[in-house]
Amino acid sequence: MARIRPGLRAALAVTAVIALTTALAQSSSQASPSGPDGTDDHGRPIYLNPTLPTQYRVNDLLRRMTLAEKVGQMTQIKVGELRGDCNGANGALVASCEQKVLVDAHVGSILSGGGDYPVDNTAKGWAQTTNGIQHYALDNNRLKIPVLYGADGVHGDNNLVTATMFPQQIGVGATWDPALAEKMGESTSSTMRATGVFWNFAPVSDLSRDTRWGRYYETLSEDPTLAGSLSAALVTGMQAYDGKGATAKLTATAKHFAGYSEPINGHDRVPAQIPVRELQDVFLPAFQPQIDAGAKTAMANSGAVNGIPVHASKFMLTTELRQRLGFDGVTVSDWADMASLATKYHVAADYPTAIAMSVNAGVDMAMEPADAASYTKALIDDVHNGLISQQRIDQAVGRILKLKFDLGLFEKPFVDENTADGIVNGAGLDLARQAATESTVLLRNDNKTLPLSTGVHKIVVAGDSADNPSQQFGGWTVNWQGVDPKGPTPPVVTPVQGIKEAVPNANVVAATDQASAVAQAADADAVVVVLGEKAGAEGNNDKEDPSLTAAQQSLVDSLKATGKPVVVVLMTGRPLVLGSVAGAPTLLADWLPGSEGGHALADILFGKANPSGRLSVSWPKTVGDEPMSYDQLPGTNGGASSGYDPLFPFGYGLSYTSFATSAPTLSAPTVRADGKETVSVTVTNTGAVAGSDVVPVYVHQPVSPVLVPDKRLVGFTRVDLKPGESKTVQVSFDVSKLAVTVGDVDATGKREVEKSAYSVVVGSAQAPFTVR
Ligand code: BGC
Ligand code: BGC
């Protein structure tokens, strides 16, 4: 490490302020600053020396910055303002637009919203755009602070039409496979990095609890342990650095913090009412693992919780997110949501007040204010008027600069335009196929119709999603609302294509309407019906009646009437209420499986793969069941009228083989509240084909002063077993997972683990333990 030439007095003065909330004081006390110039041995400004500790670099840069330069770093503007008409129109980057945003307003971050891609929507086209922006910024800004470019890569690098699409998160949830999620995160990250995008607004850690909500498919699970461990794995993968393309690193985003998924009437961004106890014991724990995994950024929830917009909530963004969950990265607003405090929620009288509320609550950067000039001016005025302190500005900017240093952006601001296509095109296809396969849940196989014989002569493939890439991908694919059926499509294998490939000698008939499907079924060996939903995103995708349509049900009914074996495949972004299809003897949940969906489905239909997906959500019987989750609290009626009575429960899923699971044994009969418990079970494949079993481990608490669910998931594992094979597997969990917010209805108590009796539940067997 180069020796720090003295020269940090001023920087240390800034440090002293920031140290209030971070641990800077420690690192700065190791320096021996004395000179005035803030340069290293080579006469280079300290902040440009990558061998120095990040905090020195942050302090050195901060002290050189004007207020205008600082607030520019707190601003993220959509790429549309840099090109075309400087206002969203697509086209080449335009220098005069770049001047306004990157130079006049000193903006430090640019984003592509859903569907905001360059005219040349290839990896090279993206790389040219991000490099172009970076060049403009570095060439024209005094301090040479690189721009950080962000986009949503929620199921692969999904705005990029040549990229491989992974299953949407609801499918990832059904895999119960964090190791696979980590690989998907890595793949998405290497693709995005190759194009110069170093900030991914993913994963989503909102819980899936209301199928009416248009963003249901973006969630992983209704359960915080499952959602938490999968999102942590995605973060770990995304933030891992494989050095491919020698780019800077990428940051993931914990979003949307928090309580976004429970709009009270199911409509996107309608306020949620979540008791503080439930917020702390159910919703926030879904975020903890990825914060522990080092997620460097978090995005605030657009919605309001308990009458307070989250963007104005210091309780949510500072007390909970930072002080209790331990997040120490950058918090970004959601789309235009500082302004929303004035224009939509009316908790602020005007824009400057809205900005001050949000920044003081804990938002460090505004995503997409309407225009850079008015936002940065209002923020500067806020400082001059005393609405926001200079310390708070330094704290926010210090976090943002630290992020840029940690990602290595100062050293590697550009990407290689000529290698981008090679890194992106075709990458991740095997992973996409594996993920789609593992996410498929066999819900029913009453007549052992599956797997189908590869010797079939004729198969009819019907249904609206049998050959429909747009529906197969869902929203956030190329465009915000999904692939335009008339526009370009990412690489894709549909069910029709996958089945044709799997049985090249069979007559595979793709029926496009009900009458022809029924007519063709007459001499077919089997019918596969793939039912889906129109692609959509956010509020546009809300559904007051999240059920299969009458036409979909009628198609299945008429095919059933032919007496032929009918396999119903639900290629949907939520567990739709099935109506008459609920009785189908052969039923698969396929979710929104992405590019390799057709291959994966064919692998399962013809037995090349054995279904191993398990529901990460509860499948409702009727629309009125929602919101529904397995961990609903006990009531006094009992029975189906108030109990948990889904069509298929959380964790459900069949296989072509059968498994036997032993009773659990525990590492310790007594544990401390801050200890760990390890559960061992032996799983045996008792059937005739190889398969993977998922073993969920729950804890039951017989008596608790605060209501707790009958059982809570604390851990799980997947086991791959050959026929006849047995394996003993271990699942460990932190006893702190059992913490609940104590106290009366007002939930003013602490979160703590009740010292009492518990038992571990695996299958129908239990093993007792005590927390001391
Ligand atoms: C969504 C976010 C997304 C952002 C940028 C917002 O409307 O709520 O999830 O990251 O747009 O596309
Ligand atoms: C953007 C999305 C964003 C949405 C918010 C769209 O124009 O492309 O990313 O989520 O606006 O309303």
Side-chain angles (χ1 to χ4, degrees):
M1 176 165 109
R3 267 206 17 195
I4 302 176
R5 180 141 345 129
L8 283 180
R9 286 267 180 244
L12 292 175
V14 177
T15 305
V17 169
I18 302 173
L20 290 173
T21 50
T22 59
L24 311 190
Q26 215 190 349
S27 59
S28 50
S29 66
Q30 294 157 3
S32 51
S34 62
D37 58 343
T39 54
D40 66 9
D41 291 352
H42 310 289
R44 173 172 53 170
I46 280 174
Y47 76 93
L48 291 178
N49 182 338
T51 66
L52 295 178
T54 303
Q55 209 54 62
Y56 288 150
R57 303 179 70 189
V58 169
N59 299 342
D60 179 56
L61 181 48
L62 257 185
R63 76 181 175 89
R64 295 169 191 265
M65 293 169 78
T66 63
L67 180 58
E69 285 165 340
K70 288 178 184 173
V71 303
Q73 291 300 314
M74 295 170 68
T75 317
Q76 182 178 64
I77 292 291
K78 66 170 178 282
V79 64
E81 299 199 14
L82 304 182
R83 57 183 195 207
D85 58 355
C86 305
N87 189 26
N90 210 337
L93 294 168
V94 174
S96 58
C97 308
E98 293 182 287
Q99 167 78 28
K100 271 194 244 168
V101 174
L102 301 172
V103 182
D104 299 347
H106 307 280
V107 168
S109 185
I110 299 294
L111 91 149
S112 278
D116 210 348
Y117 42 77
V119 174
D120 174 18
N121 191 2
T122 61
K124 184 173 189 171
W126 275 82
Q128 285 169 336
T129 301
T130 58
N131 275 348
I133 294 168
Q134 198 68 284
H135 271 294
Y136 197 91
L138 293 176
D139 291 350
N140 294 290
N141 278 313
R142 179 177 82 88
L143 292 168
K144 315 239 166 294
I145 306 176
V147 165
L148 175 54
Y149 200 105
D152 302 273
V154 293
H155 65 127
D157 191 355
N158 47 245
N159 293 307
L160 173 49
V161 74
T162 61
T164 299
M165 301 297 143
F166 293 128
Q168 296 275 2
Q169 276 195 200
I170 191 67
V172 178
T175 70
W176 293 62
D177 191 346
L180 177 66
E182 185 173 330
K183 286 189 204 146
M184 282 187 267
E186 259 173 53
S187 172
T188 301
S189 169
S190 89
T191 311
M192 295 181 91
R193 285 188 278 109
T195 66
V197 178
F198 297 110
W199 189 349
N200 186 4
F201 307 129
V204 172
S205 299
D206 306 314
L207 297 180
S208 356
R209 294 192 161 220
D210 191 332
T211 55
R212 296 172 299 181
W213 188 43
R215 305 193 74 167
Y216 190 97
Y217 67 84
E218 293 185 60
T219 64
L220 291 160
S221 172
E222 70 187 33
D223 178 82
T225 292
L226 181 54
S229 81
L230 290 169
S231 57
L234 285 164
V235 167
T236 301
M238 287 173 195
Q239 297 192 164
Y241 188 56
D242 60 6
K244 245 189 229 165
T247 67
K249 297 180 201 167
L250 174 141
T251 173
T253 307
K255 83 178 186 185
H256 307 81
F257 193 86
Y260 183 30
S261 58
E262 286 235 306
I264 197 152
N265 63 2
H267 282 287
D268 188 44
R269 290 174 165 88
V270 163
Q273 297 293 348
I274 306 175
V276 171
R277 173 168 289 124
E278 193 182 357
L279 180 74
Q280 293 184 160
D281 298 349
V282 179
F283 287 89
L284 300 187
F287 284 89
Q288 186 74 69
Q290 62 182 313
I291 290 171
D292 296 344
K296 291 184 166 73
T297 74
M299 186 186 294
N301 164 14
S302 263
V305 175
N306 302 347
I308 303 294
V310 173
H311 280 72
S313 171
K314 196 164 195 165
F315 173 74
M316 292 293 283
L317 299 178
T318 299
T319 310
E320 294 285 16
L321 177 61
R322 292 186 184 273
Q323 291 162 9
R324 296 191 180 152
L325 301 188
F327 176 71
D328 66 358
V330 170
T331 301
V332 67
S333 81
D334 200 345
W335 191 273
D337 275 321
M338 286 196 185
S340 302
L341 298 182
T343 58
K344 296 180 177 159
Y345 287 117
H346 307 291
V347 293
D350 51 39
Y351 192 29
T353 313
I355 294 170
M357 281 177 103
S358 201
V359 170
N360 290 331
V363 183
D364 300 311
M365 185 188 289
M367 173 191 282
E368 185 36 26
D371 80 279
S374 62
Y375 172 75
T376 50
K377 177 178 182 308
L379 185 44
I380 290 170
D381 289 348
D382 281 347
V383 177
H384 289 149
N385 297 334
L387 288 181
I388 301 175
S389 69
Q390 182 67 56
Q391 287 95 310
R392 173 66 190 113
I393 298 288
D394 285 344
Q395 182 186 55
V397 179
R399 286 173 186 155
I400 293 162
L401 295 175
K402 177 172 189 303
L403 173 65
K404 291 184 173 184
F405 285 122
D406 286 346
L407 296 179
L409 263 186
F410 281 78
E411 289 70 48
K412 290 175 184 165
F414 299 109
V415 295
D416 183 349
E417 296 166 12
N418 296 316
T419 56
D421 284 327
I423 294 172
V424 170
N425 299 349
L429 280 172
D430 291 349
L431 207 51
R433 185 171 186 156
Q434 187 190 347
T437 306
E438 288 190 20
S439 69
T440 305
V441 185
L442 178 61
L443 294 171
R444 215 179 270 135
N445 195 18
D446 285 356
N447 307 327
K448 300 264 177 287
T449 299
L450 293 179
L452 298 168
S453 156
T454 47
V456 285
H457 297 295
K458 180 176 178 186
I459 289 203
V460 176
V461 189
D464 53 290
S465 276
D467 203 17
N468 186 329
S470 180
Q471 293 198 170
Q472 179 166 334
F473 290 124
W476 298 102
T477 311
V478 189
N479 302 300
W480 181 37
Q481 296 296 319
V483 169
D484 174 353
K486 287 180 233 89
T489 298
V492 68
V493 177
T494 65
V496 167
Q497 293 164 351
I499 291 170
K500 282 186 175 163
E501 247 183 68
V503 283
N505 300 322
N507 176 17
V508 178
V509 178
T512 49
D513 59 63
Q514 182 164 333
S516 68
V518 171
Q520 289 288 349
D523 62 345
D525 301 299
V527 183
V528 176
V529 194
V530 189
L531 305 176
E533 292 182 84
K534 188 173 175 294
E538 302 191 24
N540 294 314
N541 198 43
D542 294 342
K543 276 199 172 143
E544 280 108 358
D545 182 1
S547 307
L548 288 178
T549 63
Q552 289 175 320
Q553 296 180 46
S554 152
L555 173 63
V556 175
D557 293 345
S558 64
L559 287 166
K560 217 158 90 186
T562 66
K564 297 290 176 179
V566 177
V567 179
V568 178
V569 180
L570 302 160
M571 195 184 265
T572 62
R574 45 193 141 200
L576 291 174
V577 167
L578 301 180
S580 63
V581 178
T586 315
L587 205 52
L588 285 162
D590 204 30
W591 311 112
L592 301 173
S595 291
E596 284 292 293
H599 279 148
L601 180 62
D603 287 348
I604 285 188
L605 291 176
F606 296 101
K608 197 167 156 190
N610 188 350
S612 62
R614 300 287 185 268
L615 292 182
S616 66
V617 296
S618 301
W619 204 295
K621 281 183 177 159
T622 69
V623 170
D625 285 342
E626 293 289 301
M628 173 180 234
S629 58
Y630 82 95
D631 60 353
Q632 71 175 53
L633 299 175
T636 53
N637 271 344
S641 69
S642 67
Y644 175 63
D645 186 29
L647 182 63
F648 301 108
F650 174 76
Y652 188 77
L654 305 171
S655 165
Y656 295 155
T657 188
S658 49
F659 302 101
T661 308
S662 71
T665 57
L666 304 184
S667 55
T670 303
V671 277
R672 288 163 45 117
D674 59 358
K676 240 186 195 343
E677 187 67 271
T678 301
V679 183
S680 302
V681 287
T682 302
V683 190
T684 308
N685 182 343
T686 53
V689 290
S692 304
D693 196 17
V694 171
V695 183
V697 175
Y698 296 93
V699 165
H700 169 70
Q701 186 177 357
V703 180
S704 164
V706 166
L707 294 189
V708 289
D710 177 53
K711 55 181 192 176
R712 291 182 269 170
L713 186 74
V714 291
F716 59 91
T717 188
R718 275 178 76 97
V719 209
D720 303 327
L721 294 164
K722 297 188 203 83
E725 192 183 8
S726 284
K727 280 185 190 162
T728 299
V729 290
Q730 262 94 35
V731 174
S732 295
F733 65 92
D734 291 330
V735 175
S736 61
K737 266 193 170 304
L738 302 172
V740 290
T741 301
V742 298
D744 207 324
V745 172
D746 55 5
T748 49
K750 280 195 182 140
R751 284 198 83 223
E752 58 189 38
V753 181
E754 169 80 3
K755 303 204 170 45
S756 68
Y758 297 83
S759 58
V760 161
V761 184
V762 177
S764 53
Q766 302 204 2
F769 68 99
T770 307
V771 175
R772 256 210 317 248

